[in-house]
């Protein structure tokens, strides 16, 4: 898979108050992407965060600030509808 087939997003982890960069495949669902990010962050920040399958991604800026992304949508559909852009800031909730 090439980098052009992936979307760069920034994900804030409330437990650390830090943001982490992820490149997610366009055809991954938000649910799959949030679970994957949670597992990666739990491995990296194991002293402060424990992953669960019950995670969501929320907009941190712009018109949709505070909105939870639909877990069944793909990153591609969110990009095409302009609800996400390259570098969008999200929070794991």
């Amino acid at each position: 898979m090439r980098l052009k087939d992936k979307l760069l997003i920034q994900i804030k982890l409330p437990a650390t108050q830090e943001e982490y960069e992820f490149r997610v495949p366009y055809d991954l669902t938000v649910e799959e992407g949030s679970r994957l990010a949670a597992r990666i962050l739990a491995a990296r920040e194991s002293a402060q965060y424990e992953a669960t399958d019950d995670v969501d991604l929320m907009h941190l800026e712009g018109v949709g600030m505070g909105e939870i992304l639909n877990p069944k949508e793909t990153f591609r559909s969110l990009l095409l509808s302009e609800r996400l852009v390259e570098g969008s800031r999200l929070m794991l909730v």
Side-chain angles (χ1 to χ4, degrees):
M1 188 172 289
R2 302 173 303 241
L3 283 180
K4 71 177 188 175
D5 297 330
K6 295 182 181 181
L7 175 68
L8 175 69
I9 56 175
Q10 304 282 331
I11 297 180
K12 183 175 185 174
L13 181 63
T16 63
Q17 290 299 306
E18 302 228 12
E19 289 189 19
Y20 305 84
E21 284 188 353
F22 287 88
R23 285 208 177 269
V24 292
Y26 287 158
D27 293 320
L28 207 62
T29 65
V30 170
E31 180 176 46
E32 293 165 332
S34 60
R35 287 179 180 178
L36 179 61
R39 286 194 301 271
I40 291 168
L41 292 173
R44 181 181 171 138
E45 304 291 348
S46 60
Q48 297 179 55
Y49 178 69
E50 185 176 321
T52 69
D53 282 342
D54 187 26
V55 292
D56 290 302
L57 290 173
M58 179 180 77
H59 281 281
L60 272 183
E61 61 188 1
V63 179
M65 186 172 164
E67 283 181 23
I68 302 288
L69 299 176
N70 179 343
K72 301 302 178 194
E73 283 196 78
T74 64
F75 287 100
R76 181 184 306 274
S77 69
L78 292 168
L79 184 63
L80 290 173
S81 66
E82 299 181 356
R83 289 178 282 162
L84 286 181
V85 296
E86 191 76 15
S88 285
R89 293 180 61 233
L90 306 170
M91 183 163 52
L92 201 60
V93 293

